Amino acid sequence: MSPKTRSRSARREAAREAARTEPRQEIHDGVIAWAAQRNWVICLLLAVGTFALYSPVLGHPFIFNYDDDGYVLENQHVQAGLTWATIKWAITSTEYSNWHPVTWLSHALDCQLYGLNPWGHHFTSVLVHVLNVVLLFLLLQRATGATGRSFVVAALFAVHPLNVESVAWIAEHKSVLCTLFFFLSIGAYGWYARKPGVGRYLLIVVLFALALAAKPMAITLPFALLLLDYWPLGRIQGWGEPSEDEQGPQRSFLWLIAEKLPLLVLCAGSAWVTVYASQQYGSMRLKLPLGARIGNAICAYAMYLWKGVWPAKLAVFYPHPGMGLAGWKIGLAALFLMAITAMVWIRRKAQPYLATGWLWYLGIMVPAVGIVQVGEQGMADRYAYIPLIGIFVMCVWGFADWAESGELTPKSRAWAAAIVILFFTAFTGDQIRYWKSAADLWQHAVNVTKDNFTADQNLGAAMIMSDRAAEAIPALQDGVRLRPQDASAHLNLAGAYALSGHRQEAIQQYETAIPLTTDRQRLAGPYDTLGRLYEQTGNYQKAIVSYAQSLSIDPSRASARERLAHAELSAAIREVAEKPSGSAYLRLGLLMQRQGRTDDARSAYQQALKLDPGLTGAKQALDSLK
């Protein structure tokens, strides 16, 4: 065959091959393009729906008496914006029991953009939550290829009422910000898993460091990555087939643990800094026996699950039960958790997502469940923000498998998912409205919890700030009942009594609070107010003593100095009216002279000499005025 013949033959063969492959390639490309377009539509739907649900918070104020003051309203570093001084402070600060420079800088950026307009600060939190919802969908869809299931999990994460606290509370912006970097770290890990390399691994390290610098809750990321190695990535050698979408090499379990060692070093550093910051700030002051902490942790695990299913009576603060937790409750909760664990173990091969979801919930909750007690809460809705995703995966994938085996139609599955999502959406809409003011938020907490000292105190403070002091009294009385040896409880109740005109009751509470107060510097204000109350009731001698005590603590307190002079003068006027004498008029004259009332002072000295002509002090004082 001549070269020209061979050339023509080769061209014809190439044309036939192209004819066979091009339609397939076109179909493949078309499927990819359709899937990408569908995912964009889903992302847009999730973003718009989430933002619409949370849009009411844009009109809400700061919660001035629950960390929003310290994080923004009274924080001069944050209010300065993104200056070098603010950056230096953010990197070195351990205020509020955390080292979280990324969070501080995010708040500073909000102040630079929006000032102290709460709308902008809420907008940032809602926007980051929207990004988290979209990222969760994309991560699950990319790792599993299950678009419908991934959408439902992301939708549940978007609308679940337990997440309201993380989004609607400006001071808790750190939770949504930490989750953003947490999800980005997982995305980088999926990229690394497909084709391991140093550059890809360094990206994981950087994103993980940013997550830790937003909130130490991210410390559980290495554990979460190991769970994802099991399912859905299938990276553990001998434990199953690799994911069709993640065709990276499988490794032994020990190798995968060693792979996480650089991340574990960051975890160790974060844990040390967090404990140090908590001790410095005093957040670990609630000293409870280990048994009480473990018992509360077991019950909290079960309670989060219950609230995940029936999210009623959610509160911004749940008091720690301490030693009062009934043994039968701990036992019942432990049996419930063990039953789920046993079921997951039995089904680990047939339904590996159950093991990943359950261990995700149990493991990621560990830093916040209270074994190491930070703060006085027994549990908190915000702690479930990331952990509950594991439960969503278990339920959605489990229901989908059951529906397929039971030949439930796609339409029926869609309706079931829609009903559940709408159910949680309704609860979330209701929960958001409680954040419209501090008074509403704490009133709701008092209504849905029992013996909640923190809620009582903060409700009282919110009502006082709203010029509703009389309404604050019942809540503050309840606080005194719960902690009769707490000086702050008595001081707050005294303030409410004073503002509402109950002077004797206010005096009684101040007199009770003062001996209980260990920090004397806190008493300058109470002594000043107590002096006013005594003065208003005509007890000038005790008023003088109270003002003097206030000035001994804070000599620069102008109000106490002015009121002291007025009380002394009033006491002198009463004395000369009730028991006129030369010495009484002398004291009155000296006080009037001190205030610049020369004519009145002269008259008092003259009256003193009239009653007691031999009173040398009165004569000398009178001569000094000539």
Side-chain angles (χ1 to χ4, degrees), residues 320-339:
H320 199 291
M323 300 297 294
L325 197 56
W328 68 266
K329 290 184 178 180
I330 300 173
L332 190 62
L335 286 174
F336 176 64
L337 297 175
M338 287 189 290

Side-chain angles (χ1 to χ4, degrees), residues 188-203:
Y189 185 74
W191 186 50
Y192 163 82
R194 290 193 295 276
K195 189 178 179 181
V198 175
R200 297 187 178 202
Y201 193 89
L202 286 176
L203 179 60

Side-chain angles (χ1 to χ4, degrees), residues 435-595:
W435 288 83
K436 65 183 179 182
S437 74
D440 288 312
L441 181 67
W442 292 111
Q443 182 65 70
H444 177 66
V446 168
N447 292 342
V448 300
T449 60
K450 292 177 62 178
D451 296 337
N452 195 333
F453 175 80
T454 297
D456 286 326
Q457 296 300 292
N458 286 337
L459 173 60
M463 287 184 167
I464 290 173
M465 289 294 292
S466 302
D467 296 325
R468 299 159 59 189
E471 296 178 57
I473 290 174
L476 296 174
Q477 286 175 329
D478 200 41
V480 167
R481 176 186 63 80
L482 292 171
R483 297 188 186 178
Q485 298 303 309
D486 190 291
S488 295
H490 290 283
L491 288 173
N492 292 337
L493 180 56
Y497 276 136
L499 290 170
S500 56
H502 299 281
R503 293 168 186 161
Q504 292 298 338
E505 292 85 350
I507 289 171
Q508 181 184 357
Q509 291 300 318
Y510 277 123
E511 293 287 10
T512 303
I514 286 170
L516 296 173
T517 304
T518 56
D519 182 3
R520 191 166 182 269
Q521 296 303 313
R522 295 179 56 197
L523 291 177
Y527 269 124
D528 191 352
T529 305
L530 182 58
R532 293 185 184 217
L533 291 168
Y534 275 130
E535 189 176 0
Q536 289 167 1
T537 57
N539 194 334
Y540 297 118
Q541 293 305 318
K542 286 192 175 182
I544 291 168
V545 171
S546 297
Y547 289 134
Q549 290 279 12
S550 178
L551 288 169
S552 70
I553 298 170
D554 182 6
S556 65
R557 197 173 186 88
S559 62
R561 184 177 295 104
E562 293 172 1
R563 298 306 306 177
L564 174 60
H566 185 272
E568 289 175 332
L569 183 60
S570 298
I573 292 173
R574 173 182 287 182
E575 184 179 5
V576 299
E578 293 179 352
K579 297 179 180 179
S581 66
S583 58
Y585 272 106
L586 173 60
R587 282 192 294 273
L588 177 60
L590 291 172
L591 290 171
M592 288 179 170
Q593 184 177 352
R594 190 187 305 168
Q595 294 184 13

